[in-house]
């Protein structure tokens, strides 16, 4: 039942930025003048996604109706379409494999990354609020999220409940 997508928890690599913030600037609206990929076109209206800012300052997007979250730039039409394909793919796995998520109190984190070789990598995880843990639709190699945490000897060590 292995599905050919990456199910990993990862941080985006830091990217060098070069711009100047003028004194007393307090708002930073999305701008079409920002560097954009040749493939995507900027779009102020990224519905159904809503732009938000994490308390730590990072921007993210959420779709409240489907309870989806992503760090991927949903102003980009191509990435937004790819995200819909990704979401539909996961929904098809649930239907095809007759999987039932035993709670309605969960969110789905989706990420799309362009790899250096030109391929696109999808990654995801579900977060159950009742049990305060992450889950996937297939087997998951726990070392991907525990390799940098000392003392993890059992699944109970990665649970937040």
């Amino acid at each position: 039942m292995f599905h050919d997508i990456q199910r990993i928890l990862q941080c985006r690599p830091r990217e060098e930025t070069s711009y100047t913030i003028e004194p007393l600037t307090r708002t930073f609206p999305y701008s079409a003048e920002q560097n954009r990929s040749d493939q995507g076109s900027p779009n102020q209206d990224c519905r159904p996604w809503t732009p938000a800012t994490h308390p730590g300052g990072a921007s993210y997007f959420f779709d409240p109706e489907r309870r989806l979250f992503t760090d991927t730039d949903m102003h980009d039409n191509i990435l937004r379409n790819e995200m819909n394909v990704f979401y539909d793919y996961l929904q098809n796995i649930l239907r095809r494999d007759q999987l039932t998520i035993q709670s309605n109190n969960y969110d789905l984190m989706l990420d799309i990354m362009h790899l250096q070789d030109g391929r696109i990598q999808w990654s995801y995880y579900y977060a159950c609020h009742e049990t305060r843990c992450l889950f996937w639709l297939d087997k998951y190699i726990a070392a991907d999220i525990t390799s940098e945490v000392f003392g993890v000897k059992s699944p109970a060590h990665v649970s937040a409940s």
Side-chain angles (χ1 to χ4, degrees), residues 68-117:
L68 306 177
F69 290 81
T70 188
D71 295 329
T72 303
D73 182 4
M74 292 292 95
H75 289 110
D76 185 310
N77 292 325
I78 291 175
L79 292 175
R80 197 168 56 253
N81 289 335
E82 182 75 16
M83 191 64 73
N84 286 328
V85 170
F86 183 16
Y87 175 76
D88 290 344
Y89 179 83
L90 293 174
Q91 293 302 107
N92 287 334
I93 290 172
L94 287 166
R95 279 190 296 277
R96 184 192 69 214
D97 295 346
Q98 298 178 9
L99 300 173
T100 303
I101 299 174
Q102 301 296 319
S103 170
N104 289 325
N105 191 14
Y106 66 88
D107 295 318
L108 174 56
M109 175 65 183
L110 303 168
D111 194 21
I112 297 173
M113 286 186 61
H114 290 278
L115 302 177
Q116 289 181 346
D117 64 6

Side-chain angles (χ1 to χ4, degrees), residues 48-51 61-69 106-107:
W49 296 91
T50 301
F61 296 82
F62 69 98
D63 176 339
E65 185 174 320
R66 298 184 290 179
R67 296 184 67 164
L68 306 177
F69 290 81
Y106 66 88
D107 295 318

Side-chain angles (χ1 to χ4, degrees), residues 109-135:
M109 175 65 183
L110 303 168
D111 194 21
I112 297 173
M113 286 186 61
H114 290 278
L115 302 177
Q116 289 181 346
D117 64 6
R119 292 181 300 142
I120 294 176
Q121 175 179 290
W122 291 351
S123 56
Y124 78 95
Y125 59 88
Y126 290 87
C128 179
H129 298 288
E130 291 169 7
T131 59
R132 298 186 63 196
C133 76
L134 306 180
F135 65 95

Side-chain angles (χ1 to χ4, degrees), residues 142-153:
D144 291 341
I145 60 173
T146 62
S147 62
E148 296 184 24
V149 179
F150 296 109
V152 176
K153 303 289 184 206

